[in-house]
Amino acid sequence: LPQLPVPLYLLCVLAIFFGSVLWHLEKAVPDMPVGDDNPFGSIPRGMWFVFVTVSTVGYGDQSPSTDAGRAVTIVLIFVGVLYLAMPLGIVGNSFSAAWDARHEIGIMSMIRQRMKLCGIDAESFARAFAILDADGSGTVDATELAGLLEGLGAMAVPMHQLRSLVELVDVERTGAINEEQLAK
């Protein structure tokens, strides 16, 4: 999924921003240890808190001690919930698109199986495509594809599914598929 690097980048930006804000708010708290003992003694420690909070792990090993730090953490928690919802939407959308295309993928598989049964191999595919291309345009549309299925003795497929199949395979969005696209 090429969209997932964007949320990863956003997570890094959130960690740097909120980690820096928390470090700034918590670094000079009275009665707070200085240096390595301070849970927010550096920006990377603040970033650790952000990663743990946004991922909803919440180890509890550190927490802000000022009211301003707690207020920023509340905002961080809400941002974290929204952040976690974003990748789920991306993955859900990809699943939905694949689920919607399942019929077309099945039809394409059936076409390939029928072509093998009819003895159409790579060499004879070009000749078969030329016969299939009834109008001589060099491309095949849904109507010509219906003729192929009928010629192969395949089951009747509704025209709307054939149009969806053409749209699925037609990367150039011309409304028809060429020999190379059909061979894939």
Side-chain angles (χ1 to χ4, degrees), residues 31-56:
D31 300 327
M32 179 66 75
V34 180
D36 289 342
D37 294 333
N38 184 339
F40 293 95
S42 66
I43 292 175
R45 287 182 179 205
M47 289 172 63
W48 165 255
F49 177 76
V50 171
F51 283 123
V52 168
T53 302
V54 168
S55 68
T56 69

Side-chain angles (χ1 to χ4, degrees), residues 23 32 65 108 128 144 167 170:
W23 167 77
M32 179 66 75
S65 56
M108 195 61 150
E144 292 167 323
E167 288 175 13
D170 178 24

